[in-house]
């Protein structure tokens, strides 16, 4: 007498068995027992106790995360330095061609640049790894950092000679977002008593 | 093993912002299920620990991409199983691990010899399967993956997944039978 293969039993378990297997299982006690054993094995596998790691791997994960953040921060510092240099160059370009309007834009640009640099310094005091953020503050910080990144990307792509007023506006927007970011960090620091 | 971990949204939000305490809390919440998943599929405990570490590094790097669709464990489990299967593939390339080629015998031919054995017997028998077979059995029977999902993750066909499962169960059955009669 032909019996179910393990493939047949698996298909029966999945509700995908052939007509023959579905008919056979109704009359063959041996195959019914095999199918029941299969169910039991699966149930026992699911009930196996959880295995736990012998060593704590969090310190290793944390060290890699910190190292990656430090690298990003160094890149960020280089990048903001480049932005400041770009702003200084833009200022020179704005002053040279026209005097009056150019001078006003240059003054505004210089002011925005200085404010941005000051705020970067302030941010450094609060931006220390491992400090606790509330959920609200974390969401706000993440959003602000994303928006600043978008502006930085735009500044990096711009032709500095092309739209001077727009350049000043971008820097002013950046200053405003930086100010909000510093406030969010400062609020967090006060909240946790740092 | 049942994983029923309710992770507060606020913890996920903090982790997405890079808060280290929140990231550690996530690690503590999921280290055992991630390790268990990897360890059940891999033969060497140190390999499973490596997968645990690689999985959480991936989580830290991509947690911002988690949008809250489905349970967080489902998202983490996908990363962990992918890392585990990558390691199995890598080790296979290095060592040419043999697959379980148990002939798919007719099940009931010898009569109703059902000796399922104890949990410990089954656990020991399971450990004797190849890593590929362990992965298929564990992902399908315990984690509830479909053959289509397993095939996609392993870079194999659906029929490969089905035949590996059948062969693995045939081998488990034989080992348990032999153990019961020893």
């Amino acid at each position: 007498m032909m019996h179910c293969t393990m493939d047949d039993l698996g298909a029966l378990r999945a509700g995908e068995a052939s007509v023959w297997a579905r008919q056979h299982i109704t009359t063959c006690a041996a195959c019914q027992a095999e199918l029941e054993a299969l169910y039991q094995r699966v149930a026992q596998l699911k009930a196996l106790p959880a295995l736990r790691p012998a060593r704590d791997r969090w310190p290793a994960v944390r060290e890699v995360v910190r190292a990656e953040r430090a690298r990003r921060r160094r890149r960020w510092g280089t990048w903001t330095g480049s932005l400041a240099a770009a702003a200084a160059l833009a200022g020179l370009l704005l002053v040279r061609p026209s005097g009056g309007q150019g001078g006003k834009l240059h003054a505004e640009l210089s002011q925005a640049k200085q404010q941005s640099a000051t705020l970067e310094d302030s941010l450094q005091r609060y931006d220390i790894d491992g400090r606790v953020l509330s959920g609200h503050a974390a969401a706000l910080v993440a959003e602000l950092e994303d928006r600043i990144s978008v502006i930085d990307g735009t500044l990096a792509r711009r032709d500095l000679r092309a739209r001077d007023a727009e350049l000043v506006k971008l820097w002013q927007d950046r200053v405003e977002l930086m100010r909000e970011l510093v406030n969010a960090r400062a609020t967090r620091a006060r909240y946790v008593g740092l | 093993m049942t994983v029923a971990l309710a992770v507060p949204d606020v913890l996920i939000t903090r982790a997405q912002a890079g808060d280290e305490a929140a990231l550690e809390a996530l690690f503590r919440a999921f280290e055992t299920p991630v390790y268990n998943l990897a360890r059940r599929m891999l033969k060497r405990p140190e390999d499973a620990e490596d997968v645990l570490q690689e999985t959480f590094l991936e989580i830290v790097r991509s947690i911002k991409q988690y949008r809250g669709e489905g349970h967080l464990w489902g998202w983490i489990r996908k990363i962990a199983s992918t890392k585990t299967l990558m390691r199995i593939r890598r080790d296979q390339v290095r060592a040419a691990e043999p697959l379980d080629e148990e002939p798919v015998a007719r099940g009931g031919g010898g009569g109703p010899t059902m000796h399922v054995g104890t949990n410990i017997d089954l656990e020991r028998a399971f450990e004797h399967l190849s890593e590929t077979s362990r992965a298929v059995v564990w992902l399908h029977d315990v984690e509830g993956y479909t053959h289509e999902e397993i095939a996609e993750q392993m870079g194999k066909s659906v029929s490969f997944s089905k035949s590996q499962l059948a062969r693995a169960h045939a081998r488990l059955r034989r080992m348990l039978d032999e153990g019961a009669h020893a």
Side-chain angles (χ1 to χ4, degrees):
Chain A
M1 181 184 181
M2 195 165 78
H3 291 282
C4 289
T5 64
M6 198 59 80
D7 281 322
D8 293 326
L9 295 173
L12 282 164
R13 186 160 66 104
E16 301 169 347
S18 64
V19 174
W20 174 83
R22 279 185 276 132
Q23 287 177 342
H24 175 78
I25 200 74
T26 61
T27 57
C28 177
C31 289
Q32 286 171 7
E34 285 281 1
L35 183 60
E36 177 57 26
L38 177 60
Y39 276 116
Q40 286 183 36
R41 275 198 302 276
V42 171
Q44 287 181 340
L45 282 172
K46 288 180 177 174
L48 287 177
L51 300 172
R52 298 171 198 283
R55 289 173 294 178
D56 184 4
R57 282 295 182 117
W58 171 249
V61 173
R62 185 186 58 211
E63 289 314 305
V64 174
V65 170
R66 285 181 176 176
E68 288 181 352
R69 281 183 181 170
R71 276 198 300 276
R72 274 203 305 273
R73 201 174 297 121
R74 281 197 295 275
R75 280 202 301 271
W76 171 263
T78 305
W79 172 233
T80 51
S82 301
L83 279 178
L89 175 61
L92 289 174
L93 292 169
L94 288 171
V95 165
R96 251 191 317 189
S98 62
Q101 179 64 12
K104 181 169 178 279
L105 287 172
H106 173 247
E108 289 175 350
L109 186 60
S110 294
Q111 185 184 19
K113 182 192 72 176
Q114 283 172 1
Q115 287 173 332
S116 182
T118 304
L119 289 164
E120 292 278 2
D121 288 343
S122 301
L123 196 58
Q124 288 289 324
R125 282 190 284 132
Y126 301 112
D127 190 20
I128 299 169
D129 286 339
R131 293 193 176 173
V132 179
L133 280 171
S134 71
H136 175 73
L140 180 61
V141 164
E143 186 194 340
L144 290 169
E145 287 177 345
D146 286 348
R147 289 170 66 188
I148 290 169
S149 296
V150 169
I151 289 181
D152 289 347
T154 309
L155 285 169
R157 287 194 305 271
R158 271 189 55 83
D159 177 350
L160 295 176
R161 293 169 189 260
R163 288 166 287 182
D164 302 327
E166 189 182 334
L167 181 65
V168 172
K169 176 74 167 56
L170 280 170
W171 271 95
Q172 289 172 338
D173 288 348
R174 188 177 196 279
V175 165
E176 194 53 41
L177 290 171
M178 286 291 297
R179 191 171 285 129
E180 287 182 46
L181 186 58
V182 169
N183 286 341
R185 293 280 187 187
T187 302
R188 183 276 308 261
R190 279 198 300 275
Y191 176 72
V192 297
L194 298 171
Chain B
M1 178 190 177
T2 303
V3 180
L5 295 163
V7 178
D9 288 345
V10 67
L11 184 65
I12 297 171
T13 304
R14 283 170 49 197
Q16 286 175 327
D19 184 277
E20 195 175 286
L23 290 170
E24 182 175 1
L26 279 186
F27 179 89
R28 297 299 174 206
F30 290 103
E31 64 177 324
T32 296
V34 167
Y35 175 80
N36 187 60
L37 176 76
R39 181 68 186 91
R40 289 299 181 191
M41 294 196 265
L42 296 167
K43 292 195 169 183
R44 300 192 310 169
E46 55 269 32
D47 285 347
E49 286 186 17
D50 286 349
V51 167
L52 171 64
Q53 184 171 330
E54 290 165 12
T55 297
F56 273 90
L57 283 173
E58 182 69 36
I59 289 167
V60 171
R61 289 169 186 146
S62 56
I63 185 81
K64 280 188 177 178
Q65 292 164 25
Y66 174 67
R67 299 295 178 207
E69 304 97 349
H71 195 288
L72 181 62
W73 167 236
W75 184 74
I76 291 176
R77 185 176 62 176
K78 182 78 182 291
I79 295 172
S81 60
T82 301
K83 297 283 182 195
T84 307
L85 293 174
M86 281 171 61
R87 182 164 286 259
I88 290 174
R89 274 200 296 274
R90 192 194 68 191
D91 291 348
Q92 277 176 348
V93 170
R94 284 182 181 169
E97 179 206 43
L99 299 176
D100 288 314
E101 294 298 337
E102 180 76 12
V104 184
R106 296 282 163 187
T113 53
M114 299 300 101
H115 301 284
V116 174
T118 66
N119 274 0
I120 291 174
D121 291 336
L122 177 62
E123 193 169 16
R124 195 171 300 139
F126 185 76
E127 286 172 358
H128 279 84
L129 297 177
S130 71
E131 289 187 333
T132 301
S133 294
R134 286 164 64 148
V136 172
V137 171
W138 197 262
L139 291 176
H140 185 274
D141 289 350
V142 179
E143 302 294 339
Y145 281 54
T146 64
H147 285 298
E148 287 75 13
E149 289 170 331
I150 294 168
E152 184 186 346
Q153 280 208 295
M154 296 187 97
K156 302 278 189 180
S157 64
V158 170
S159 60
F160 173 87
S161 176
K162 287 182 177 178
S163 68
Q164 278 295 309
L165 186 69
R167 289 175 195 283
H169 272 293
R171 185 146 188 242
L172 282 175
R173 176 191 180 281
R174 186 171 63 80
M175 285 190 284
L176 292 170
D177 262 2
E178 287 170 356
H181 288 117

